[in-house]
Amino acid sequence: MASDFPYLTRSEFGNCIEWFEQVYGAVLEVKVRTSRGSHTYLQINKPLFLARNDSDDVVDSDDAVNNGDAVNSGDAVNSGDAVNSGDAVNSDIEDLEDTDPTQLDTCPAMECGLIEYHVVYSASWRVPVLYVRVHASTGVVMDCRQVADMLVADSKVRGAMDAVEFGGALGIQDHPELNEPFMYLHPCHTATLLRAVVVPARDGRGAEIGQRNYISAWLSLTGAAVGLSLPSIPH
């Protein structure tokens, strides 16, 4: 386990993302990258699939966020209050884990873009932060509302997100390693969520998380808010 769980040093974060790449490299397009500042971060790429009758929404450039646009911290989707820990949080986390957010509906789907997920270390919060950028097949980079609507269409996931305040945590800021605007999930609830899962409850149901499974455990709690679910690992 990390020396000060759920918080990480930068070195521990580097070990965590390297473990994730080793474990999931066979089932995901995942790569540990190094920035110009010599900091490592994790990149996961997934194709964007949408129902054919929704595909016109992807290429609407009127609402797009272009890489050259100024970043406005007021562009967050909604504001949220602090999450409360305890049984209610655990119940909502289970709802997130049990639902596949990529299953948008049963209509025939078409590939119409690329989703980039970047896992970056926050020196201020001492936890990972999930950055997201979605490219339509036209090259347009989509905005927060489009991403939320397309990646989290399932009402059960949306309800669980609202309950743990993730629905209001999606905003826009510069990627700290690339200096380009990305959407991101604010890390203010990360420690609370991980403690809710790991700290042993009175009935002894707490789980243990080490550097090998830290990122996968964290993504199982946060990824559904932006359409990222982890596949099963073949044994």
Side-chain angles (χ1 to χ4, degrees):
M1 187 175 288
S3 58
D4 189 22
F5 183 88
Y7 302 105
L8 297 173
T9 65
R10 189 176 291 278
S11 175
E12 289 171 339
F13 171 78
N15 293 337
C16 289
I17 61 175
E18 287 177 2
W19 271 116
F20 184 90
E21 182 184 34
Q22 290 182 37
V23 173
Y24 284 91
V27 292
L28 283 175
E29 185 181 340
V30 57
K31 180 71 175 177
V32 172
R33 300 195 179 277
T34 303
S35 69
R36 292 181 180 179
S38 299
H39 295 155
T40 55
Y41 63 95
L42 187 73
Q43 180 172 345
I44 302 170
N45 289 345
K46 289 183 63 179
L48 175 64
F49 290 96
L50 291 180
R52 293 184 183 274
N53 57 355
D54 292 336
S55 61
D56 291 342
D57 295 336
V58 177
V59 296
D60 183 0
S61 60
D62 292 339
D63 297 324
V65 177
N66 296 315
N67 286 339
D69 291 344
V71 176
N72 186 343
S73 60
D75 289 338
V77 175
N78 288 309
S79 61
D81 298 327
V83 64
N84 293 320
S85 59
D87 294 339
V89 173
N90 288 326
S91 175
D92 294 319
I93 289 171
E94 291 174 1
D95 287 344
L96 287 173
E97 291 177 328
D98 293 340
T99 306
D100 184 353
T102 61
Q103 300 301 313
L104 300 181
D105 55 38
T106 57
C107 297
M110 60 181 295
E111 182 175 346
C112 55
L114 175 70
I115 314 169
E116 289 183 54
Y117 299 100
H118 291 201
V119 179
V120 182
Y121 181 71
S122 169
S124 300
W125 293 89
R126 297 171 57 207
V127 294
V129 181
L130 186 58
Y131 287 79
V132 186
R133 184 163 63 182
V134 182
H135 304 262
S137 56
T138 58
V140 169
V141 180
M142 286 175 269
D143 68 10
C144 286
R145 177 52 60 190
Q146 288 174 309
V147 169
D149 288 345
M150 288 186 293
L151 298 188
V152 194
D154 190 285
S155 59
K156 183 179 179 182
V157 174
R158 281 184 179 275
M161 284 170 55
D162 290 341
V164 296
E165 304 299 344
F166 271 16
L170 185 63
I172 301 175
Q173 73 172 15
D174 276 358
H175 189 299
E177 306 299 342
L178 302 180
N179 294 319
E180 298 175 0
F182 271 66
M183 284 159 285
Y184 77 110
L185 285 174
H186 197 281
C188 60
H189 301 324
T190 297
T192 301
L193 288 171
L194 286 171
R195 284 197 191 101
V197 172
V198 176
V199 175
R202 282 174 292 182
D203 58 7
R205 291 186 300 174
E208 182 175 352
I209 296 179
Q211 293 185 19
R212 180 185 177 92
N213 61 344
Y214 184 106
I215 298 298
S216 58
W218 168 71
L219 284 175
S220 73
L221 302 176
T222 60
V226 285
L228 177 58
S229 60
L230 298 180
S232 300
I233 302 171
H235 296 286

